[in-house]
Amino acid sequence: MEIPTLTTRRLILRPGDSGDVEALTRIWSDPEFARHLGGPVTLPDAVWHQLAGCLGCWQLTGVGPWCVVERDTGTLVGRAGLWDEPGWPGVEAIWFIGRPWWGRGYATEAAAASITWAFARRPELDRVVAAIVPANDGSLRVARRLGMTRTATAYLHEEPHALYAVSRDAWARRAAPGEL
């Protein structure tokens, strides 16, 4: 499968490659960034395995995460996109933006582009979900900005998660993604 590249007003969402490992390792090594994500990942080989899993998600499910790059600087600022795995509550919008770039709206912008892409390419998809550790206030705010509402609690990867969702119809009624 060829992984597409998406462009938003400020970001490029592109397939990851082995040249991204160093920048992703810096992001994932930050304890504050990783505190709701299972803790820091400090070894480049572990980050390489994460990246391989992201590329594999595309091959196995037709959706997956992209590397997120600032258009103006070319700086890799995180990962965002879609996730799907067996037993998951649905196609999930995900966003992992490095701490130096928090507060700029990049998570919302990248997730909005991902959700729009998912609904355009997957006509059978009736909703997109987000599974968030309840203590992760920043991600809860992003989900709400995306128009997602809490629908349930699920036990995923040995931890309770708040499930948020946005339906295809609700997404279609929203303002243009650039207006979030």
Side-chain angles (χ1 to χ4, degrees):
M1 140 162 238
E2 185 173 329
I3 301 170
T5 296
L6 306 182
T7 303
T8 70
R9 185 172 60 83
R10 300 178 298 162
L11 304 172
I12 298 169
L13 282 67
R14 61 157 176 77
D17 63 46
S18 59
D20 297 324
V21 170
E22 184 179 332
L24 289 170
T25 301
R26 278 194 303 276
I27 290 169
W28 282 85
S29 293
D30 177 355
E32 179 61 18
F33 164 84
R35 75 183 165 117
H36 299 299
L37 304 171
V41 181
T42 60
L43 299 174
D45 64 326
V47 171
W48 184 92
H49 282 274
Q50 281 185 348
L51 189 56
C54 292
L55 296 171
C57 187
W58 280 102
Q59 293 301 314
L60 294 170
T61 69
V63 300
W66 288 276
C67 283
V68 179
V69 176
E70 283 181 319
R71 285 179 66 177
D72 288 346
T73 66
T75 302
L76 189 146
V77 300
R79 236 181 22 226
L82 304 159
W83 188 257
D84 195 9
E85 69 178 74
W88 218 242
V91 172
E92 180 185 8
I94 61 171
W95 48 85
F96 306 107
I97 302 298
R99 191 160 49 120
W101 302 278
W102 286 0
R104 298 183 190 188
Y106 287 175
T108 305
E109 188 172 330
S114 302
I115 293 168
T116 298
W117 183 90
F119 283 136
R121 299 306 184 288
R122 301 278 295 267
E124 80 287 358
L125 199 60
D126 63 342
R127 71 182 189 147
V128 172
V129 302
I132 303 168
V133 174
N136 189 341
D137 293 330
S139 280
L140 295 173
R141 284 191 299 275
V142 171
R144 290 184 197 111
R145 277 195 296 274
L146 292 165
M148 294 180 148
T149 56
R150 184 157 183 181
T151 60
T153 300
Y155 199 72
L156 304 167
H157 294 224
E158 302 180 13
E159 189 172 21
H161 288 71
L163 288 184
Y164 282 73
V166 62
S167 70
R168 175 183 292 277
D169 291 341
W171 191 254
R173 290 190 302 267
R174 293 183 49 77
E179 300 173 15
L180 291 172

